[in-house]
Amino acid sequence: MSGGAADCVSLAIAFHQAPGRFSDLLHGRAELPEGIGRLLRLAGGAEPAAEGLNGQAFVPAAEIRQAARFFIERVLLAHEADHYRVLGVRPDASLDEIKEHHRLLMRLFHPDREGAAGDGWSEAFATRINLAYTALRQPRARAAYDAARRQAQKQQPRPSAPRRRPEEREGAGFRLPPAV
């Protein structure tokens, strides 16, 4: 097991325990860690989860699988995720990696698979996964998607300086009491 895959599993466990500590990852502002393929295999049962220590805490195999699935649902399949993130790959990923991640994700979320949640989420996730795969599996479609993605990134407004309250503005000769 490579260091990146082990680090990704540790990250998934930490994320499962306290997702609020990872807001950049949750909201797509942080890059995905290496080893997402291992998380996909663990969550879908294609690779056995070995119980062991994560830092100083013992983590049972069932919790590792649950943490992997939780990470996938919350980070890869987040509402604002682009097609690359949905498939858990970087924009320079090979077609083989894209195909492998699609296969593993569908093994996990296909609504007809045994063990898929019957709450409608599996069907919605499967639809998103298939849309991402369709956009990235053929070179022309991928190039068009990449061009549209670059254009959208150019048009996003730049974050501006935070607005200051009236009592904080320069030249304000008075301050409002904190209760106001």
Coordinates of all heavy atoms in Angstrom, one line a residue, residues 82 144-158:
D82 N -17.6 19.1 -9.7 CA -17.5 19.0 -11.2 C -17.3 17.5 -11.5 O -17.2 16.7 -10.7 CB -16.4 19.9 -11.7 CG -15.0 19.4 -11.4 OD1 -14.8 18.3 -10.8 OD2 -14.0 20.2 -11.6
A144 N -14.4 19.5 -24.9 CA -15.5 20.5 -24.8 C -15.8 20.8 -23.3 O -16.0 22.0 -23.0 CB -16.8 20.0 -25.5
Y145 N -15.9 19.8 -22.5 CA -16.2 20.0 -21.1 C -15.1 20.9 -20.4 O -15.3 21.8 -19.7 CB -16.3 18.7 -20.4 CG -16.5 18.9 -18.9 CD1 -17.7 19.3 -18.3 CD2 -15.4 18.6 -18.0 CE1 -17.8 19.5 -17.0 CE2 -15.6 18.8 -16.6 CZ -16.8 19.2 -16.1 OH -16.9 19.4 -14.8
D146 N -13.8 20.5 -20.8 CA -12.7 21.3 -20.2 C -12.7 22.7 -20.6 O -12.4 23.6 -19.8 CB -11.3 20.6 -20.6 CG -11.1 19.3 -19.9 OD1 -11.7 19.0 -18.9 OD2 -10.2 18.6 -20.4
A147 N -13.1 23.0 -21.9 CA -13.1 24.4 -22.4 C -14.2 25.1 -21.6 O -14.1 26.3 -21.2 CB -13.4 24.4 -23.9
A148 N -15.4 24.5 -21.5 CA -16.5 25.1 -20.8 C -16.1 25.4 -19.3 O -16.5 26.4 -18.7 CB -17.8 24.3 -20.9
R149 N -15.4 24.5 -18.7 CA -15.0 24.6 -17.3 C -14.0 25.7 -17.1 O -14.1 26.5 -16.2 CB -14.3 23.2 -16.9 CG -14.1 23.1 -15.5 CD -13.7 21.6 -15.2 NE -13.1 21.5 -13.9 CZ -11.8 21.3 -13.7 NH1 -10.9 21.2 -14.8 NH2 -11.3 21.3 -12.5
R150 N -13.1 25.9 -18.1 CA -12.1 27.0 -18.0 C -12.8 28.3 -18.2 O -12.5 29.3 -17.5 CB -11.0 26.8 -19.1 CG -9.9 25.9 -18.7 CD -8.8 25.9 -19.7 NE -9.2 25.6 -21.1 CZ -9.2 24.4 -21.6 NH1 -8.9 23.4 -20.8 NH2 -9.6 24.2 -22.8
Q151 N -13.8 28.4 -19.1 CA -14.6 29.6 -19.3 C -15.3 30.0 -18.1 O -15.4 31.1 -17.7 CB -15.5 29.4 -20.5 CG -16.2 30.7 -20.9 CD -15.3 31.8 -21.4 OE1 -14.2 31.5 -21.9 NE2 -15.7 33.0 -21.2
A152 N -16.0 29.0 -17.4 CA -16.7 29.3 -16.2 C -15.8 29.8 -15.1 O -16.2 30.6 -14.3 CB -17.5 28.0 -15.8
Q153 N -14.6 29.2 -15.0 CA -13.7 29.7 -14.0 C -13.3 31.1 -14.2 O -13.1 31.8 -13.3 CB -12.5 28.7 -13.9 CG -12.8 27.4 -13.3 CD -11.6 26.4 -13.4 OE1 -10.7 26.6 -14.2 NE2 -11.7 25.4 -12.6
K154 N -13.1 31.5 -15.4 CA -12.7 32.9 -15.8 C -13.8 33.8 -15.4 O -13.6 35.0 -15.0 CB -12.4 33.0 -17.3 CG -11.1 32.4 -17.7 CD -11.0 32.7 -19.2 CE -9.7 32.0 -19.7 NZ -9.6 32.1 -21.2
Q155 N -15.1 33.4 -15.5 CA -16.2 34.3 -15.3 C -16.6 34.4 -13.8 O -17.4 35.2 -13.5 CB -17.4 33.8 -16.1 CG -17.2 34.0 -17.6 CD -18.4 33.5 -18.4 OE1 -19.3 32.9 -17.9 NE2 -18.3 33.8 -19.7
Q156 N -16.1 33.5 -13.0 CA -16.4 33.6 -11.6 C -15.9 34.8 -11.0 O -14.7 35.2 -11.2 CB -15.8 32.4 -10.8 CG -16.5 31.1 -11.0 CD -15.9 30.0 -10.2 OE1 -14.8 30.0 -9.7 NE2 -16.7 28.9 -10.1
P157 N -16.7 35.5 -10.2 CA -16.2 36.8 -9.5 C -15.1 36.5 -8.6 O -15.1 35.4 -7.9 CB -17.4 37.3 -8.8 CG -18.3 36.1 -8.7 CD -18.0 35.2 -9.8
R158 N -14.1 37.3 -8.5 CA -13.0 37.2 -7.6 C -13.5 37.5 -6.2 O -14.4 38.4 -6.0 CB -11.9 38.2 -7.9 CG -11.4 38.0 -9.4 CD -10.0 37.7 -9.4 NE -9.4 37.7 -10.7 CZ -9.0 36.6 -11.2 NH1 -9.1 35.5 -10.6 NH2 -8.6 36.6 -12.5

